[in-house]
Structure formats: structure tokens, C-alpha cells
Amino acid sequence: MQIRRDARGHAAGLEIVERGERSAWAQHAHGAYLLRTNCTETDPVKLWRWYIQLQQAEAAFRTSKSDLALRPVYHQKTERVEAHILICFWPWHFGALWKWMRSKGLGTCARQLLLEVSTIRAMDVILPVKNRGQLRMRLVARPDKPVAELLAHRGLALPISPKIIQNVVEKIA
């Protein structure tokens, strides 16, 4: 392909030259192409799924890097590498959330789902126990009626009984 320009340098046309050898190969392949991998898996369906997942993850990384103007990235410090990995991981995580929401019939707007479920509250109750120090239990409050209906409609349930929490790292004020 080549762009034709007028005397002032403005694009005036497009010239496309077809390469016969590539055209013949494309017709022979019928749109198929070869995936090369180092995986030992022999099931083509599994390989294809992995390939599609890889493509989706790479697309999410490219999108997040482009939006944040993080390309190209040359990190010299461990903290920067870790921060970069975290920034790249977020889109993948939200992609997984989006897929889960679709599978549960919750739509595709993660922000709206988060707004709705943000009304769910949990708290830790700490009780002194003789000769043992403390007993910490996590309680989840009953959600508002619309959220409770949403959860019930989608077959999701919040814990009913308190959960005993062990090995708690104290919050630093």
C-alpha cells in the first residue's frame, strides 16, 4: 500500500498492489493459520482457549498502558517494576469481573454493580475471652432489599453466621 500525495503534500489517493504469491497462500489456507507454542497440551480446544485468553490479557494491558501513557517502559528499580505489574494487573482483574458479571446476568457495568453492593456492610466484633485473650468474629449485615433481591435472583448468598477470624494483623493508626 502506498498513499499518493498531490503537489501540496496532501493525501490524494491510495495505491494497493496485490502480491500474487501471498494471495495464493491465503486462498489455500482458507483463513486458517498456525499457532506455535511450547505447551505440551495436545487438545486443540484447550490451546485455542489459552490463546484467546492471552490475546484478551495483552489487549487489556495495551489499553491500560495507552490510557495511562506508560509506553514504552524501561524500569530500572524494583519498586517501579512492581508498580507497573500492578497497573497492568488491574485491567485483567476487571476483565475477569466483567466475565463473571456476564455469566451471572448482571450486565457489564462494573461501576454500577459496585455501587449497588457497596451497601453491604461487615464488621469485626472483638470479645474478651478468659485465659485466651480475644475472640474476633466477622459479621455481615443484611443488605438493603434491592441488593438482597439481586443476590437471591442470581443465586448468591452472604454468610449468615459469624466467622471466627484468626491471625489478624492490627491496623496501624
Side-chain angles (χ1 to χ4, degrees), residues 39-156:
C39 296
T40 56
E41 179 60 52
T42 57
D43 182 7
V45 173
K46 283 185 183 177
L47 285 172
W48 182 253
R49 284 189 185 132
W50 292 344
Y51 175 71
I52 295 301
Q53 285 177 331
L54 177 63
Q55 294 298 313
Q56 290 170 343
E58 287 176 350
F61 292 158
R62 277 192 302 278
T63 300
S64 67
K65 288 179 181 181
S66 297
D67 290 348
L68 297 171
L70 289 175
R71 294 180 102 186
V73 177
Y74 303 102
H75 296 304
Q76 303 297 323
K77 298 180 180 178
T78 303
E79 305 87 43
R80 297 231 18 195
V81 172
E82 290 171 352
H84 184 82
I85 291 170
L86 176 66
I87 294 295
C88 291
F89 182 72
W90 284 343
W92 177 84
H93 202 54
F94 281 117
L97 174 64
W98 183 78
K99 276 179 139 177
W100 175 82
M101 287 173 58
R102 278 188 49 198
S103 73
K104 295 291 184 183
L106 298 172
T108 57
C109 183
R111 180 172 288 151
Q112 183 61 36
L113 176 68
L114 292 174
L115 278 172
E116 290 179 19
V117 297
S118 68
T119 61
I120 299 172
R121 301 285 182 236
M123 69 175 179
D124 288 356
V125 175
I126 302 168
L127 302 170
V129 178
K130 236 183 204 181
N131 302 328
R132 280 189 48 206
Q134 297 177 337
L135 175 66
R136 182 182 294 251
M137 295 186 300
R138 180 153 300 146
L139 304 167
V140 178
R142 290 187 186 152
D144 296 336
K145 188 175 180 183
V147 176
E149 289 173 355
L150 173 71
L151 294 172
H153 182 66
R154 297 299 166 205
L156 303 169

